[in-house]
Amino acid sequence: MISLRCRHCRLTVAEGNAIAYVCTECGGILDVDGYPLRDLSWSDVDDGEREQGIWRYARLLPVSNADSRATLHEGGTPLYPQRGHSFRFLKDETRNPTGSFKDRPVCVAVSKAHELGADTVITASSGNAAVSTAAYATVAGLKAVVLIPERTPQEKVCQMATYGARVVRVEGDYSESYALAMKVSLKAGWVNVTTTYLNPYATQGDKTIAYELHEQLSGRVPDWIAIPVGAGPLLAGIFEGYRELQLLGQVETCPRMVAVQSEGCAPIVRAYETGSDLVEAWDAPSGSASGILDPLRGYTQDGVRTLDIVRASGGGAVAVSDDQIMGAVSGLGAQGLFVEPAGAAAVAGVSKMQWAGLIGEHETVVMLVTGSGLKNLQPLIARTTEPPLVEEQHPDPVGAVLSAVEM
Ligand SMILES: *Cc1c(COP(=O)(O)O)cnc(C)c1O
Ligand SMILES: [Zn+2]
């Protein structure tokens, strides 16, 4: 039987019919606890014979009733070597059903809400989690209400509306949407599936990335895993997955976790660099990587949790500029991957750490590529030069093409 446990004061909250979001004693973050790890072997955990994607690992997911699963075949994403490097790998999360890794946590959170009998889910999201919520809610037959910052990319707004969500824009940055969604969910009695650490089930979906990496790397533990970070549940989930692999006797060590943020909003990196145990909210987020611009205003404890894992794992935290991110977008494009700016941040972060001598060329590094380029086109379009045009009346159209492409 799984239960919820406070990370801070260790109080255990039994699973009821309503979802608990924070510890009733101290307000701390709740974790899912109680999987029978000692009684399981890896062959019990991986049900790849019968299930696909994240549900191969259903024994370690918090949804016990298979009929409650809302699935679009999320997870099971490819791992490629990074071109030009022998020991670096790209985990291509753009290949998820709605185009970002958020399908993993949201699929689990919405399935759990469905299992608990919810009829409406609400989320606050910088875009991708709202898209996933819209998609999985409609699969589960639930209504979805999504609150997004006013400047959310239109591509994402269009996608969530097409899946049928009720979309409301909220003036201000992501933290304003977060606070309002919380109030609305309490007032209306809707299940809040926000993918910070608020919904305790969501992070469980992120764990499946660790299990997949374990199989894709044939049991070898990467030295480093680099991750674009907003609040950091993706980073926490992958680390938790490795901890479980350790308890299952599958691996001896855990990877060093690297949090990569945008210079335009880097509250966790700032605390890491100053050696602080506290994370302070960021004032005015800016930049192209909209998917990771989370100022953490009102829930800085989420940043502290991520920072603790980064430090405990012996990892690192690094901020990258928009130019460095766009350089990584081009590099990924050159190997056939079309990625949104936030989705390329880990690749930019690893380059920066290599220049700084923090990561060696012979160390094994996995970089999470988190979202498709189709989801946030504007920054990419702004950097695309208009292609030359061959006019209808051109006297030598063939010559015009050959000279334009200079090949
Ligand atoms: C949400 C998101 C992230 C950050 O994930 P967190 O778990 O919120 O830190 C990274 N990349 C993309 C594309 C995202 O949408
Ligand atoms: Zn507590």
Side-chain angles (χ1 to χ4, degrees), residues 6 8-11 23 25-28:
C6 174
H8 191 67
C9 75
R10 314 308 293 170
L11 179 83
C23 173
E25 279 301 307
C26 76

Side-chain angles (χ1 to χ4, degrees), residues 99-102 105 125-129 156 174 195-197 203 206 227-237 260-261 268 289-294 306 339-345 368-372 375:
S100 88
F101 84 90
K102 291 285 195 324
S125 160
S126 64
N128 285 332
K156 296 182 186 179
Y174 173 72
T195 62
T196 53
Y197 293 108
T203 324
D206 294 316
I227 298 163
V229 160
L234 173 59
L235 184 147
V260 184
Q261 298 202 284
I268 297 169
S290 60
I292 51 171
L293 302 182
D294 185 342
T306 304
V339 179
E340 71 171 291
L368 270 286
V369 174
T370 47
S372 162
K375 288 173 152 278

Side-chain angles (χ1 to χ4, degrees), residues 89-227:
F89 299 90
L90 303 164
K91 181 73 167 153
D92 183 9
E93 290 294 303
T94 71
R95 295 277 288 268
N96 278 296
T98 79
S100 88
F101 84 90
K102 291 285 195 324
D103 289 341
R104 296 179 192 257
V106 171
C107 174
V108 172
V110 169
S111 298
K112 187 70 191 183
H114 187 39
E115 186 176 60
L116 295 175
D119 66 14
T120 304
V121 290
I122 183 170
T123 193
S125 160
S126 64
N128 285 332
V131 168
S132 300
T133 302
Y136 287 94
T138 196
V139 170
L142 308 181
K143 284 175 268 187
V145 176
V146 304
L147 269 49
I148 55 175
E150 54 181 319
R151 278 192 294 275
T152 302
Q154 276 183 319
E155 298 82 352
K156 296 182 186 179
V157 177
C158 170
Q159 199 184 358
M160 55 189 89
T162 302
Y163 292 134
R166 314 316 198 256
V167 184
V168 180
R169 290 184 309 143
V170 180
E171 198 172 344
D173 58 37
Y174 173 72
S175 291
E176 313 289 343
S177 299
Y178 177 96
L180 189 54
M182 182 107 84
K183 289 183 193 146
V184 174
S185 92
L186 293 175
K187 173 93 183 173
W190 298 334
V191 172
N192 193 334
V193 293
T194 297
T195 62
T196 53
Y197 293 108
L198 187 67
N199 184 298
Y201 301 105
T203 324
Q204 298 295 302
D206 294 316
K207 292 191 313 192
T208 56
I209 292 176
Y211 311 149
E212 289 176 18
L213 288 175
H214 178 60
E215 299 191 306
Q216 288 170 315
L217 292 169
S218 311
R220 168 148 134 232
V221 179
D223 296 303
W224 304 89
I225 300 185
I227 298 163

Side-chain angles (χ1 to χ4, degrees), residues 3-22:
S3 54
L4 297 175
R5 190 146 124 119
C6 174
R7 171 152 282 266
H8 191 67
C9 75
R10 314 308 293 170
L11 179 83
T12 297
V13 184
E15 262 206 318
N17 290 330
I19 292 188
Y21 301 105
V22 290

